[in-house]
Amino acid sequence: MTKYTKKEFDKLLKERLNSEYGTTLDVASNQQIYRALAIIARRLMSAQHKKFQSRAYGTGAKQVYYLCMEFLMGRSLKTSLFNLGLNEVAEAVLSDAGIKIESIYEEEPDAGLGNGGLGRLAACYLDGMATTGICGTGYSILYEYGIFKQKIVDGWQQEKADNWLPGGQVWLKSHPDQSIEIKFDGDIEESWEGSYHHVTHRHYNSVIAVPSDMYVQGYDGQGVAKLRLWQAKAPDFDMNSFNAGEYGSAITKNASAELISKILYPNDNHREGKILRLRQQYFLSAASIGDICQNHLSQWGSLDTLPEKAAIQLNDTHPTLAIPELMRILLDECGYDWDKAFDICQRTFAYTNHTVMSEALEKWNLDIFRSTLPRIYSIVEEMDRRCRADFEKAFPGDWGKINYMAILGDNQVRMANICCYVCHSINGVSKLHSQIIKDSVFHDYYLYKPQAFKNVTNGIAYRRWLLASNPGLTKLLSETIGEGFKHDASQLSKLNAYKNDKTVLKALEDVKKANKVEFASYLEKTTGQVIDPNSIFDCQVKRMHEYKRQHLNALNIAAQYLYLKDHPNAEFAPKTYIFGAKAAPGYYMAKQMIRLICKLGDLIDADPAVREKLRVVYLEDYNVSLSERLMPASEVSEQISLAGTEASGTGNMKFMLNGAVTLGTLDGANVEIAAAAGKENEIIFGMLTEEVNQMKATGYHPTMFINSDEVAMEVLNFLEKGWNGESFHEVVNNLRTSDPYMVMADFKDYRRAQADVQKLYADRTRWNQMSLANIANSGVFSADRSVLDYARDIWGAHPVK
Ligand SMILES: *Cc1c(COP(=O)(O)O)cnc(C)c1O
């Protein structure tokens, strides 16, 4: 990779500023400097990508295509410069001109093309593929509006449109020459010519998918990943309608085509049954499959070899239609017979499941599906007919099983069943979750094709949350264990040798303290809220959702408040509870939970008797950039979902890497985090998955837990009554009557665990040791490791040398 001296980089930047804006470094605005640096980085990565890919094709390396409706990229400038090895030289050049590079980074908007964990995982895997030298391309939609920006007004969430392109487009290069036509609606006409089956799609509406590319540079190496984002454009303006005087219809056609890439649906772990969402899904699937086939054909001449040269990973069921779309191309456009086409699909596609909750499992109404995608429907129908025949051979006469496993049923198209029937690999995202899908949701498919079921535990682009976000810890680590951990996260384990080293433990505490001071000052500067860096920073940041149980955290805060009111002189380590979460705009209960947390914070803040000991802050607009600021300052990582509901979690990994102690249930990857760091270095509470299942089977009644627990009763009564004319009876009623995520069953043990936090924190050496154990054993949660697991166990891909 080209290395630049300070002088060379200075020249490069000045040339760019001059050619783009006709300006010079001393008078350029921060925005102009940001753009100039972004263009420099993008061009270097684009050139590097070209070299990397030609080397890859030269060696016949397998291409990995990662399809996902969401890529939560966050900012790119800092990590691109880091991974290009240009961050120091850029900082020095700017510093000479009297400019702080941090203020340039602040100019960049977050690319928020995702909701939360799922989209962030996809972004982390591009970084992992680039760094490990796997040829990776991500495909998604170029949403004009990303995830909404959140404001909290008097405890209520308000959503503001996220118009990110004006600042973000500088990373994108459009390639209109590589556009793909996508056909919707209309009807199909089938005919036979001897044994040759003709299908004609008539009266369809076309949408043009125009690609724009951005790049992700691997750390200090040759690898670069590409993210290809599709934008929906109307085909040439419909002159016929226009000339016929149908102005309205001509214009509507135009607008409805372009609506497809207008906005990201803001639902996390919840399906959206709208036709526009189905159109988005097919748009992404068909554009990407069209592009993959064209690449493959231009390189190898025939789709016969697709499974040897390409692996397509479907990240969740959202891009499932890629499967029938590839079938369509093989059957209708290339003349393959069904069996040969199906065999190619089976060996090419792999599927990652991300949730077992039924409200998130993707299903489409048959009639909507058929009228929107007539040819795809007829392929899916044939697939259903054949899968039923196959299942009958495997499970003769077991109609319950066959109907449950079938692709069509209950007047719906079941996307997960298409994936399970076709894909050669079905993986969960943590050991526990991969076991659960075999035991429950996909149990019958597990019996049918056990060899397809796999696990790849999630991982994070750890350099983003360590090297680029926590310079204090990075420096301490370099001085203690050398530089190797920057390339190879497993080398973090060298820190274990220092677990009894007083100097290192104290240095770790000092780094954390400095980061807390820094975060407190950022918070005060940006929001006016004052928090005490000497208090424990206890954080729960993630999407707002009942299954994640932010209300369990809130109940404990209320209990602590009532306790401190009764016992003003009690010994109590001061605590700052930090929340950050967006709720889906239509998710009523989640919005009530936000209001509860905010109002609890206001109540405490207005009470001089408790405010020095307890504080609650709600961070507005939690996003990737905010998480990069918070993680270094965190001490307690709240991972308190009901066991069996969080597939993996990745926030838990970011916290662990930064030395926070997990206060959590044995759910998702928490199980592996506790195993890696040692159970004694986390604070675990609550029911196990088996206990949850047991309790559900015998019938769960929250009152059983409430009536035998005085604190629970007192807290619920307190919240139900409310204060200052506000009540929280919706949340309380829900917990008293249905409590679908068994908050009340875990409440008592959660309070015990919170009390343990207080005790453990009082012994600072012990706490620092726990923190050290977390950092030292977090290496396995690197996305580099995850990607190499996928490459070995699923893709059959190898790093390009
Ligand atoms: C990591 C991350 C998430 C995922 O958090 P979980 O706790 O795993 O749900 C969500 N949103 C953002 C912005 C993130 O960076």
Side-chain angles (χ1 to χ4, degrees):
M1 199 159 39
T2 327
K3 290 287 174 199
Y4 290 85
T5 64
K6 201 170 136 188
K7 201 164 150 203
E8 288 163 345
F9 195 82
D10 183 70
K11 183 157 168 274
L12 200 60
L13 177 59
K14 285 173 175 163
E15 279 171 3
R16 196 49 37 220
L17 282 168
N18 183 43
S19 63
E20 298 286 330
Y21 307 108
T23 189
T24 57
L25 187 53
D26 49 336
V27 298
S29 67
N30 282 358
Q31 179 68 209
Q32 288 170 327
I33 297 170
Y34 152 65
R35 285 166 181 270
L37 286 172
I39 293 167
I40 290 169
R42 193 194 76 211
R43 291 189 171 191
L44 288 170
M45 292 188 288
S46 166
Q48 188 88 6
H49 181 259
K50 198 172 268 165
K51 274 198 242 164
F52 179 61
Q53 276 297 356
S54 68
R55 208 154 7 103
Y57 279 122
T59 63
K62 202 166 191 177
Q63 297 287 325
V64 173
Y65 299 108
Y66 199 85
L67 270 62
C68 187
M69 288 288 281
E70 307 186 7
F71 278 80
L72 192 55
M73 301 297 284
R75 288 174 174 159
S76 288
L77 183 57
K78 195 188 207 173
T79 48
S80 298
L81 292 179
F82 250 91
N83 289 0
L84 285 161
L86 292 174
N87 58 311
E88 281 171 9
V89 74
E91 185 169 359
V93 165
L94 292 178
S95 166
D96 282 2
I99 301 157
K100 285 208 183 73
I101 198 162
E102 284 300 326
S103 67
I104 303 301
Y105 293 149
E106 286 301 306
E107 290 291 319
E108 183 174 358
D110 266 49
L113 308 183
N115 276 285
L118 174 96
R120 184 54 231 175
L121 185 77
C124 284
Y125 283 177
L126 292 180
D127 182 288
M129 286 192 274
T131 298
T132 56
I134 301 287
C135 293
T137 303
Y139 282 108
S140 196
I141 292 177
L142 181 59
Y143 302 107
E144 190 178 333
Y145 295 92
I147 185 67
F148 63 84
K149 287 184 186 281
Q150 180 193 50
K151 289 259 174 240
I152 307 281
V153 180
D154 197 30
W156 293 102
Q157 167 175 297
Q158 299 195 348
E159 299 97 26
K160 256 187 58 196
D162 169 43
N163 186 16
W164 71 287
L165 279 172
Q169 200 145 36
V170 70
W171 295 100
L172 299 170
K173 182 141 176 34
S174 166
H175 295 278
D177 55 307
Q178 295 168 41
S179 295
I180 307 249
E181 182 186 17
I182 318 284
K183 298 174 180 176
F184 291 97
D185 317 315
D187 49 68
I188 53 171
E189 191 182 65
E190 304 187 46
S191 61
W192 290 91
E193 194 177 295
S195 67
Y196 197 76
H197 185 213
H198 280 289
V199 181
T200 323
H201 190 172
R202 304 177 309 179
H203 312 302
Y204 56 82
N205 293 312
S206 280
V207 177
I208 309 299
V210 183
S212 288
D213 295 341
M214 66 186 281
Y215 295 99
V216 176
Q217 174 68 47
Y219 180 67
D220 203 23
Q222 316 291 315
V224 183
K226 182 167 96 174
L227 175 58
R228 175 154 273 204
L229 298 170
W230 299 102
Q231 184 175 30
K233 289 277 180 200
D236 282 343
F237 192 72
D238 187 353
M239 266 335 259
N240 291 336
S241 304
F242 187 77
N243 290 339
E246 296 161 1
Y247 310 116
S249 133
I251 289 165
T252 319
K253 260 192 178 167
N254 213 64
S256 76
E258 297 186 359
L259 207 56
I260 290 176
S261 59
K262 190 60 83 179
I263 184 161
L264 167 80
Y265 276 103
N267 300 331
D268 191 66
N269 275 299
H270 202 285
R271 88 181 97 90
E272 171 75 68
K274 301 262 165 64
I275 295 178
L276 182 57
R277 173 73 175 177
L278 177 62
R279 287 179 184 265
Q280 287 188 335
Q281 293 185 353
Y282 182 64
F283 174 76
L284 165 63
S285 303
S288 308
I289 291 298
D291 199 50
I292 291 167
C293 288
Q294 278 182 14
N295 282 345
H296 185 83
L297 284 171
S298 71
Q299 204 65 37
W300 308 104
S302 151
L303 292 177
D304 286 0
T305 53
L306 189 67
E308 285 82 60
K309 299 297 180 190
I312 305 178
Q313 191 70 36
L314 303 175
N315 199 34
D316 215 327
T317 52
H318 316 137
T320 298
L321 297 177
I323 294 172
E325 175 64 11
L326 181 56
M327 285 298 287
R328 187 191 67 77
I329 289 178
L330 293 169
L331 295 169
D332 299 358
E333 296 184 10
C334 303
Y336 285 84
D337 64 29
W338 181 281
D339 290 332
K340 183 82 178 84
F342 192 75
D343 174 66
I344 290 173
C345 286
Q346 278 186 311
R347 291 187 291 128
T348 304
F349 285 107
Y351 158 59
T352 304
N353 173 272
H354 282 271
T355 178
V356 298
M357 292 186 300
S358 57
E359 65 269 30
L361 281 187
E362 201 91 353
K363 295 165 189 150
W364 287 104
N365 172 281
L366 213 85
D367 303 314
I368 288 177
F369 193 101
R370 181 170 37 210
S371 66
T372 309
L373 306 167
R375 177 55 181 144
I376 295 302
Y377 177 76
S378 72
I379 289 169
V380 167
E381 201 177 33
E382 176 63 12
M383 214 177 258
D384 176 67
R385 195 185 67 74
R386 287 171 183 255
C387 83
R388 285 172 182 273
D390 288 345
F391 300 153
E392 227 187 301
K393 277 184 220 138
F395 309 112
D398 192 343
W399 300 111
K401 238 191 203 58
I402 294 165
N403 285 325
Y404 181 80
M405 293 172 75
I407 288 171
L408 302 182
D410 303 324
N411 206 33
Q412 289 177 317
V413 185
R414 301 155 173 172
M415 311 293 264
N417 287 3
I418 297 179
C419 291
C420 286
Y421 179 56
V422 179
C423 294
H424 66 84
S425 165
I426 300 157
N427 77 286
V429 288
S430 69
K431 284 181 187 163
L432 175 65
H433 169 64
S434 294
Q435 191 58 46
I436 289 174
I437 64 180
K438 291 195 282 189
D439 293 344
S440 63
V441 260
F442 299 147
H443 181 66
D444 294 337
Y445 269 105
Y446 176 59
L447 297 177
Y448 180 66
K449 45 192 280 195
Q451 72 294 342
F453 283 76
K454 295 173 189 173
N455 173 59
V456 180
T457 298
N458 283 170
I460 57 170
Y462 75 101
R463 283 166 290 266
R464 181 181 277 262
W465 277 276
L466 182 56
L467 316 207
S469 301
N470 195 341
L473 181 55
T474 304
K475 180 159 173 286
L476 174 59
L477 288 170
S478 303
E479 290 164 359
T480 315
I481 60 171
E483 307 280 332
F485 72 95
K486 296 182 177 179
H487 277 276
D488 171 8
S490 72
Q491 291 195 30
L492 285 166
S493 67
K494 290 182 179 169
L495 190 63
N496 277 318
Y498 297 86
K499 66 181 174 201
N500 295 314
D501 185 318
K502 291 265 153 59
T503 320
V504 170
L505 291 170
K506 183 65 175 62
L508 216 50
E509 183 179 332
D510 292 345
V511 165
K512 183 61 76 179
K513 180 67 189 295
N515 290 339
K516 289 165 72 182
V517 169
E518 164 96 13
F519 184 79
S521 116
Y522 166 78
L523 189 69
E524 184 168 6
K525 214 165 52 210
T526 51
T527 73
Q529 297 179 92
V530 178
I531 56 176
D532 177 7
N534 291 309
S535 62
I536 305 172
F537 281 15
D538 180 320
C539 312
Q540 189 172 17
V541 288
K542 47 180 76 255
R543 286 294 289 242
M544 184 62 61
H545 211 297
E546 287 166 275
Y547 88 80
K548 293 177 182 279
R549 301 200 296 191
Q550 281 95 346
H551 44 353
L552 175 57
N553 192 344
L555 289 192
N556 176 65
I557 295 170
Q560 290 188 335
Y561 169 77
L562 295 173
Y563 174 80
L564 288 172
K565 293 291 280 180
D566 278 351
H567 308 83
N569 299 317
E571 200 158 307
F572 191 86
K575 203 91 191 273
T576 300
Y577 289 97
I578 299 172
F579 288 88
K582 292 177 186 176
Y587 189 171
Y588 179 76
M589 191 54 67
K591 287 188 159 177
Q592 292 294 341
M593 286 160 67
I594 294 179
R595 188 173 62 92
L596 168 60
I597 295 161
C598 292
K599 292 293 166 177
L600 209 46
D602 292 349
L603 177 73
I604 292 166
D605 200 42
D607 195 331
V610 288
R611 135 171 113 209
E612 302 307 318
K613 295 181 180 154
L614 216 53
R615 195 160 291 236
V616 179
V617 295
Y618 200 100
L619 306 174
E620 276 181 337
D621 201 41
Y622 178 60
N623 61 13
V624 175
S625 293
L626 190 51
S627 92
E628 288 165 15
R629 287 191 180 276
L630 177 64
M631 294 300 159
S634 64
E635 293 178 300
V636 177
S637 162
E638 298 260 3
Q639 306 299 339
I640 60 178
S641 52
L642 175 65
T645 61
E646 186 75 273
S648 164
T650 49
N652 47 7
M653 299 166 186
K654 302 167 196 166
F655 279 110
M656 180 195 196
L657 172 70
N658 280 279
V661 171
T662 301
L663 167 49
T665 50
L666 285 176
D667 196 15
N670 298 352
V671 177
E672 288 156 79
I673 285 175
K679 254 192 171 165
E680 67 284 5
N681 295 309
E682 316 294 358
I683 302 163
I684 303 299
F685 77 97
M687 292 182 287
L688 303 176
T689 307
E690 304 85 81
E691 294 169 325
V692 170
N693 292 339
Q694 191 74 47
M695 194 171 288
K696 278 184 185 159
T698 55
Y700 170 61
H701 302 288
T703 43
M704 289 182 347
F705 293 90
I706 299 167
N707 296 340
S708 61
D709 179 352
E710 255 174 60
V711 177
M713 229 164 346
E714 192 192 4
V715 166
L716 289 179
N717 289 339
F718 171 66
L719 297 180
E720 185 167 43
K721 191 151 144 270
W723 54 87
N724 298 338
E726 297 216 43
S727 144
F728 306 93
H729 63 268
E730 293 97 338
V731 176
V732 172
N733 260 346
N734 182 277
L735 294 178
R736 282 197 211 278
T737 55
S738 59
D739 190 13
Y741 299 99
M742 299 178 166
V743 170
M744 301 319 300
D746 278 343
F747 185 37
K748 197 169 202 169
D749 201 30
Y750 181 58
R751 298 199 311 271
R752 187 271 310 159
Q754 281 283 8
D756 286 354
V757 171
Q758 298 257 332
K759 275 182 242 150
L760 288 162
Y761 198 81
D763 178 352
R764 292 318 296 274
T765 303
R766 176 78 192 92
W767 186 269
N768 295 336
Q769 285 176 323
M770 293 171 75
S771 178
L772 180 144
N774 274 282
I775 300 165
N777 297 293
S778 65
V780 67
F781 302 107
S782 157
D784 303 347
R785 188 272 312 151
S786 304
V787 157
L788 291 174
D789 282 358
Y790 276 99
R792 186 193 60 224
D793 298 341
I794 298 177
W795 301 331
H798 302 279
V800 176
K801 288 282 171 265

